[in-house]
Amino acid sequence: MRILIIEDEPGIALFLKEGLQEESFAVDVANDGPSGLELATVNDGEYDLILLDWMLPGLSGIEVVRQLRKISSQVPVIFLTARDTVQDTVFALEMGANDFIKKPFSFEELLARVRVQLRGKQSENSKIVHRNLVMDLNTHQVFVDSQDVSLTQKEFALLEFLLRNKGKVCTRSRIIEHVWDIHFDYNTSVIDVYINALRKKIDGNTDTNLITTIRGVGYIIKDE
Amino acid sequence: MRILIIEDEPGIALFLKEGLQEESFAVDVANDGPSGLELATVNDGEYDLILLDWMLPGLSGIEVVRQLRKISSQVPVIFLTARDTVQDTVFALEMGANDFIKKPFSFEELLARVRVQLRGKQSENSKIVHRNLVMDLNTHQVFVDSQDVSLTQKEFALLEFLLRNKGKVCTRSRIIEHVWDIHFDYNTSVIDVYINALRKKIDGNTDTNLITTIRGVGYIIKDE
DNA sequence: ATGTGATTTTAAGCAAATCTTAAGAAAACC
DNA sequence: GGTTTTCTTAAGATTTGCTTAAAATCACAT
């Protein structure tokens, strides 16, 4: 995971850099707006996250984000700032920022927010393992007891969502939003149908029970 | 956590209500400005958040917020609106709104913003612990002596309500309001039936006694 | 373009869990 | 002892989820 820090105060920049390196991130630092923007645009796609100071010499943080979004860079941006009025927050979010941390902040807090932004990416090139089930996100394969189980796109997406939220109940609204990208007015029983299909393919005729129904709420893959 | 939705389009209101209920919020809906304002003022302090549509019959959202702030209500207000000019945003915020979501929005985004507003209020850990009983609000599970006890929706909701009011007597009217969402003329013995079910499942055949009856008033889970 | 097979969605009947009602038994209160 | 309140139980109503099949859509090769 590569992180770009755009911050003019050397003390803070160093503090962040070392802290993040200890967490095994690859960290680059730019100490003014223009050079930060250049690094970000030239290496677009390379960075998994940008930590961006609001007040910067040369080019303000806001302007950096604007330019970045203009070239349709999707990289998550977290603002670091002393300001904290609601207007500023909203403004920054509207300009394309993903989150907003007000100084002074604890490193713990920053780390938590960084992980939120990187969630998903962090395990992107890897596998999700749950008991006797292995989901390979690269090859789009699923194995149960090392047996290849072939899933359709939607089945795969649904299972992935449930597994990523292992231990938490996935409500129907959440599922329909994330897996089907329907944001309003869902009145459909697709979820039921796909849960059914998954259960058939995964649990088969064994008496295991991967997906648990929480009546009136949704579904969950229990932890342990 | 109680949320008041003031929204005139029934479709959107329902969508929001159901989604938020799945997330285990208690939700009330008003479908025009005046009735929304009345609910909010009469129950000031009861709601933890208000979702407010900009365009409303009777009284605009802006006016509702103004009136609310006039009586110095501190309840957080999130605007839902089709407008998205910077002027509108700033205007709404100056009138006392706390955040601003432009339609169409995803439920996920709304939920995120709601959680931001409730941050702090919402107990960090999603577990309620009482003696040998653990209630996990995420997984919708209840454990007694680490044994999984399966509760139905209503049982869960009732127990949650009693636990959240640990040490306080819950009157029948408050229970029927919060758990059953009946705001008038309750003439039913549902509560008795569910208290009974809970006692059976929780206390089982042990001689513990989680829920105490306060004759003529209601029920209580005693502290200690 | 067109056809074919796979996938996704809709719809409907069925099954099961849950919720509500009601009524008699038990307990608490005067 | 009589009255009120709560407890308990069971049956009926309702809701919710499961399953299946058919219709619609999509993907791809011809």
Side-chain angles (χ1 to χ4, degrees), chain A:
Chain A
M1 291 289 119
R2 290 184 71 181
I3 296 181
L4 173 62
I5 300 173
I6 311 181
E7 163 68 73
D8 59 320
E9 277 188 67
I12 295 180
L14 188 65
F15 163 72
L16 290 176
K17 182 176 183 181
E18 287 182 347
L20 289 168
Q21 281 175 341
E22 272 178 24
E23 294 293 329
S24 69
F25 290 104
V27 182
D28 290 349
V29 176
N31 28 38
D32 61 55
S35 67
L37 181 59
E38 190 188 345
L39 267 176
T41 47
V42 170
N43 302 316
D44 185 34
E46 289 294 314
Y47 293 113
D48 301 290
L49 179 78
I50 295 180
L51 293 176
L52 182 53
D53 193 13
W54 182 293
M55 305 265 280
L56 282 170
L59 205 60
S60 79
I62 281 288
E63 200 50 33
V64 171
V65 178
R66 279 232 314 206
Q67 299 284 340
L68 266 177
R69 295 305 181 222
K70 207 179 261 173
I71 65 158
S72 72
S73 170
Q74 293 301 311
V75 59
V77 171
I78 300 180
F79 260 105
L80 312 175
T81 174
R83 304 170 173 236
D84 73 339
T85 66
V86 179
Q87 283 97 325
D88 287 332
T89 314
V90 171
F91 187 50
L93 292 171
E94 277 179 354
M95 285 300 111
N98 297 74
D99 202 351
F100 204 85
I101 307 183
K102 74 165 198 261
K103 299 180 187 174
F105 52 83
S106 74
F107 185 72
E108 280 314 304
E109 184 188 353
L110 179 104
L111 198 57
R113 302 226 188 193
V114 165
R115 292 213 195 282
V116 167
Q117 294 300 327
L118 294 179
R119 190 162 51 200
K121 272 194 189 174
Q122 222 155 14
S123 55
E124 202 161 42
N125 295 322
S126 76
K127 297 171 178 170
I128 302 176
V129 180
H130 174 80
R131 298 191 191 187
N132 60 341
L133 182 148
V134 179
M135 165 172 269
D136 189 322
L137 301 167
N138 277 330
T139 64
H140 263 246
Q141 279 179 303
V142 172
F143 301 90
V144 176
D145 292 325
S146 321
Q147 290 290 311
D148 191 338
V149 175
S150 96
L151 300 184
T152 70
Q153 289 283 67
K154 278 272 144 63
E155 288 164 1
F156 193 92
L158 175 57
L159 181 57
E160 182 184 348
F161 182 70
L162 291 172
L163 281 172
R164 281 194 191 286
N165 291 283
K166 190 173 19 170
K168 282 191 216 156
V169 176
C170 302
T171 66
R172 280 164 179 272
S173 340
R174 262 234 178 68
I175 293 174
I176 211 76
E177 279 217 338
H178 276 89
V179 180
W180 274 268
D181 218 8
I182 296 171
H183 299 290
F184 280 99
D185 185 38
Y186 66 98
N187 175 331
T188 161
S189 61
V190 238
I191 298 177
D192 307 59
V193 174
Y194 272 81
I195 290 284
N196 188 240
L198 272 181
R199 296 218 249 232
K200 269 188 187 157
K201 288 191 179 176
I202 304 288
D203 294 332
N205 24 23
T206 70
D207 57 355
T208 52
N209 224 327
L210 180 73
I211 302 165
T212 308
T213 305
I214 308 285
R215 202 158 233 270
V217 184
Y219 298 90
I220 182 176
I221 292 180
K222 287 188 184 168
D223 238 334
E224 308 153 75

Side-chain angles (χ1 to χ4, degrees), chain B residues 1 24 121-146 151 155-167 202 210 221-223:
Chain B
M1 291 289 117
S24 70
K121 277 192 189 177
Q122 220 170 21
S123 58
E124 282 300 315
N125 54 1
S126 53
K127 288 179 182 164
I128 301 176
V129 180
H130 174 80
R131 298 191 191 184
N132 60 341
L133 182 147
V134 179
M135 165 173 269
D136 188 323
L137 301 170
N138 263 333
T139 63
H140 269 249
Q141 282 177 302
V142 173
F143 300 89
V144 176
D145 292 325
S146 319
L151 300 184
E155 287 164 2
F156 193 91
L158 174 58
L159 181 57
E160 183 184 348
F161 182 71
L162 292 172
L163 281 172
R164 282 195 191 285
N165 291 283
K166 189 173 19 170
I202 304 288
L210 180 73
I221 292 179
K222 288 187 183 164
D223 234 336

Side-chain angles (χ1 to χ4, degrees), chain B residues 2-8 12-13 15-17 19-20 25 27-32 36 40 47-54 56 61 64-65 68 75-81 99-101 105 107 109-111 113-115 117-118:
Chain B
R2 288 186 74 180
I3 296 182
L4 173 62
I5 299 173
I6 311 181
E7 162 73 62
D8 59 319
I12 294 181
F15 164 73
L16 291 176
K17 181 174 182 184
L20 289 168
F25 291 103
V27 183
D28 289 346
V29 176
N31 30 34
D32 60 54
Y47 293 113
D48 300 293
L49 181 79
I50 295 180
L51 293 177
L52 183 54
D53 192 21
W54 181 293
L56 282 171
V64 172
V65 177
L68 266 178
V75 58
V77 171
I78 299 181
F79 257 105
L80 312 174
T81 174
D99 203 350
F100 203 90
I101 308 184
F105 51 85
F107 183 73
E109 183 189 348
L110 178 104
L111 198 58
R113 304 239 184 184
V114 166
R115 292 209 196 285
Q117 294 300 328
L118 295 179

